[in-house]
Amino acid sequence: MSFDLHTATSGRRAAMVDRLKADGILTSPLLRDALLRVRREVLLPHAYVRISGPGADPIDWRLLDGSHPDDREEWLDLIHSDESILLQRDGEPLDTLARGQVTGGHMTSMSTYTPATVETLQVLGLAPGQRYLELGPGPGVALALAATTIGPGRATGVERDPHMAAFAQRNLNRLGVGAVVIEGDAFEGHEARAPYDRIHSGIGVPCVPPAWVEQLAPGGRLLTTLATRTPSWPGQLLVTRTVGTGRIAAVLRGRPRGYRPMFGYQWLTALDHRARIKADPGTARPTRLAPPADDAYGFWIAAAYLAPGLVRDFQAETMTIVAPEDDSWAVAGPVDGTVRVHGPRDVWAELEDVHAHWVETGRPQTYEVDLHDGTGVQPVTSGTGPEALNWSLPPLATVPRQMP
């Protein structure tokens, strides 16, 4: 019996939609219809699977080729799963990839896991007739869903990598959704087709590039990940422009996950300290702070800025926070009211102070970001009054710009 790709993929798309609805993630009828219509197999014709375990260097990968019968079932299951789809190593060309095992390299492009894409597009509130800008679209899955929802000729993507831009445009053309991918610097947006009713950044940035705000239409929404130095506690920023007055409002909230940061951004890691922490977790001392809940996102996003340079090891048995640049760490006891600390920096004392301030301020879950400051600084605050939590977003100049 011959393999019927159309039947196999339509069934998997329907199962994917049912799963997203059952999990309470997918609520928009418009997006549901788009998910059923967009053929993911066209946009994601191959996928890398990691073979190596955590900490391996170099990493071993296996490339699944969707056109090969020995790979097809695994590939179809993967691209319709809730996993991120890894597509490109080290900016490589995408037209001549060979299936099978390869060693080395780091992923430079991927398709975000589907629940995050769904949540993002629902927050943006897509509707027919809107103009949409996607910054860093990668293979174009979110771009295709947006174009299917709003209509042809109204969705634009800006992609820095020339190989990925060409790859995405070719596949989008095959779908016939009427989306355009421009090769360029995402920080500059795309003025030629501005203004946009909805803007989404698929890359994490330390602050909001001015061009993005300038290209936002009245009544528009802009959504991006704010990348802190730690991958442990990302932020999500929603920017809106009111109709009539054109006033800009920006609200930051902590999230369990976010998009990968911009090209050249160096995240901190606890991996290099893991063995040392296991051998010597540190000196025990009493603590007034029980390990904060993982979903206390308002606290953790504040800690990312007010106690900078920290990263959490989520693989540890108990809460372990590392300051890798200071060779310091803290290991919290789960129930005994003590914490073990090591190194010149008392990591836990800083978290105690931030948490106490956060509680005194009323445990805020959202923060206002001022994008109007004429100096270019983007201040953040939990509210008014002397007790408010305050900090400023770091400028774009603190990390390398994306390369053409």
Side-chain angles (χ1 to χ4, degrees):
M1 181 181 295
S2 62
F3 180 82
D4 186 342
L5 183 61
H6 174 74
T7 301
T9 55
S10 61
R12 281 175 168 85
R13 286 198 300 275
M16 176 183 70
V17 166
D18 289 344
R19 182 177 68 249
L20 292 166
K21 289 177 62 180
D23 291 343
I25 297 169
L26 176 60
T27 58
S28 164
L30 286 174
L31 189 53
R32 172 191 174 275
D33 291 345
L35 285 162
L36 290 171
R37 292 170 58 189
V38 170
R39 293 175 290 151
R40 301 171 68 84
E41 70 275 12
V42 174
L43 298 172
L44 307 170
H46 67 267
Y48 282 102
V49 177
R50 179 170 175 150
I51 301 173
S52 302
D57 188 16
I59 299 171
D60 290 327
W61 312 91
R62 182 163 55 91
L63 181 74
L64 301 177
D65 180 350
S67 66
H68 196 285
D70 291 345
D71 292 345
R72 190 174 291 135
E73 289 295 331
E74 183 179 359
W75 164 72
L76 284 173
D77 286 343
L78 179 60
I79 67 172
H80 292 93
S81 73
D82 291 343
E83 300 296 322
S84 295
I85 310 303
L86 311 178
L87 291 162
Q88 183 191 49
R89 294 182 307 147
D90 298 332
E92 65 191 345
L94 297 162
D95 296 327
T96 57
L97 298 179
R99 66 179 292 266
Q101 185 169 331
V102 293
T103 299
H106 296 86
M107 289 297 150
T108 49
S109 188
M110 64 186 64
S111 177
T112 304
Y113 60 104
T114 303
T117 299
V118 169
E119 289 175 359
T120 292
L121 295 180
Q122 288 182 156
V123 169
L124 285 171
L126 295 178
Q130 292 175 341
R131 292 157 295 182
Y132 177 82
L133 177 64
E134 176 91 9
L135 303 156
V141 173
L143 188 60
L145 292 169
T148 302
T149 302
I150 65 179
R154 310 188 71 82
T156 305
V158 179
E159 172 61 46
R160 70 170 183 86
D161 184 276
H163 301 302
M164 183 54 68
F167 175 82
Q169 186 67 77
R170 181 174 64 250
N171 294 332
L172 288 164
N173 289 345
R174 289 180 60 197
L175 290 180
V177 295
V180 175
V181 180
I182 307 296
E183 181 190 338
D185 186 349
F187 286 170
E188 299 174 359
H190 188 59
E191 187 176 4
R193 304 187 79 182
Y196 302 95
D197 301 296
R198 299 293 186 265
I199 299 177
H200 171 233
S201 172
I203 52 175
V205 290
C207 66
V208 183
W212 297 3
V213 179
E214 294 166 4
Q215 294 172 20
L216 188 63
R221 297 181 187 177
L222 185 165
L223 193 68
T224 185
T225 292
L226 282 189
T228 64
R229 290 206 63 206
T230 174
S232 305
W233 308 301
Q236 184 186 75
L237 186 70
L238 177 63
V239 183
T240 57
R241 185 189 292 275
T242 58
V243 177
T245 63
R247 179 181 178 273
I248 293 292
V251 177
L252 169 65
R253 65 179 67 244
R255 297 283 293 165
R257 301 179 184 87
Y259 292 117
R260 292 172 64 87
M262 52 183 277
F263 177 81
Y265 199 95
Q266 296 299 313
W267 263 339
L268 299 169
T269 176
L271 187 61
D272 296 339
H273 286 75
R274 185 174 290 167
R276 293 179 56 205
I277 295 172
K278 185 175 182 180
D280 178 15
T283 302
R285 69 161 175 81
T287 175
R288 64 183 188 273
L289 175 63
D294 290 348
D295 61 358
Y297 302 125
F299 162 69
W300 290 115
I301 188 64
Y305 291 100
L306 298 176
L310 304 182
V311 60
R312 180 172 172 183
D313 185 354
F314 282 98
Q315 302 302 314
E317 293 181 1
T318 61
M319 184 173 288
T320 300
I321 311 293
V322 186
E325 295 177 337
D326 300 295
D327 198 32
S328 302
W329 55 78
V331 180
V335 293
D336 62 1
T338 64
V339 63
R340 293 184 176 273
V341 295
H342 172 91
R345 180 177 175 182
D346 192 333
V347 169
W348 201 254
E350 294 181 40
L351 292 178
E352 288 174 328
D353 291 342
V354 174
H355 191 269
H357 194 172
W358 180 68
V359 171
E360 291 170 1
T361 308
R363 300 175 182 265
Q365 297 302 314
T366 61
Y367 301 87
E368 295 181 4
V369 183
D370 183 358
L371 302 180
H372 298 280
D373 193 305
T375 66
V377 175
Q378 297 179 358
V380 183
T381 183
S382 64
T384 59
E387 75 283 355
L389 289 163
N390 297 283
W391 66 87
S392 293
L393 300 180
L396 291 171
T398 59
V399 293
R401 291 291 297 265
Q402 292 191 3
M403 301 300 291

